[in-house]
Amino acid sequence: MHAGARIGVGYNAQIAVDAKRHLIAAQEVCNHVSDQGLLAETTKAAKDNLDLEAVTVVADGGYYQVDDLAACEAESITAYVPAQKPRVYKDGERFGKADFTFDAERNAYLCPGGSLLTPVATGTDKGKRFTT
């Protein structure tokens, strides 16, 4: 598992608890670095163990992944997971991808700070074309 710039041995424990009885309904230990992509799998195991047709799950924002939420819906799992908030930087000068607009006519991106970002170089890497 990644820990900043280092890689170390670690485990990620996933536990689903029955809210009515306060008992563990399913558990799994894996080497996934984050919780993303594990909600449907863990909740489905709990649903099967409890022999239920449908369940409701509440999880923190670390589980938010659109594909995983769609998998929950397909398995009759109602998931309440907050969307992850965009990062806020201390200097207030950084922007996310959504803040940039593409100007096809100039083949450039317009930065919210007023700068025009144009391609500097093009090439190929491992058979794939890129522009920087």
Side-chain angles (χ1 to χ4, degrees):
M1 295 180 75
H2 293 276
R6 303 169 313 181
I7 295 177
V9 176
Y11 302 97
N12 186 345
Q14 298 295 308
I15 300 173
V17 178
D18 177 356
K20 183 177 180 181
R21 296 171 192 86
H22 305 287
L23 296 172
I24 295 172
Q27 61 83 32
E28 178 75 28
V29 177
C30 60
N31 287 89
H32 292 268
V33 177
S34 73
D35 294 329
Q36 289 182 331
L38 298 174
L39 183 65
E41 178 183 328
T42 304
T43 307
K44 183 179 179 326
K47 184 181 129 199
D48 292 346
N49 290 342
L50 296 172
D51 196 29
L52 299 171
E53 294 294 321
V55 296
T56 299
V57 62
V58 177
D60 65 59
Y63 287 90
Y64 188 87
Q65 184 181 43
V66 175
D67 294 340
D68 206 26
L69 295 174
C72 283
E73 190 175 322
E75 291 290 338
S76 298
I77 299 168
T78 302
Y80 292 94
V81 183
Q84 293 180 340
K85 296 177 184 175
R87 293 184 183 186
V88 177
Y89 296 97
K90 291 180 185 177
D91 60 13
E93 295 295 321
R94 300 181 191 185
F95 306 104
K97 287 182 183 180
D99 297 321
F100 292 81
T101 54
F102 184 68
D103 182 344
E105 189 175 295
R106 294 191 276 184
N107 189 29
Y109 283 91
L110 180 61
C111 170
S115 298
L116 189 64
L117 308 173
T118 57
V120 177
T122 58
T124 56
D125 183 32
K126 298 178 184 172
K128 294 183 180 179
R129 187 168 171 77
F130 70 88
T131 302
T132 60

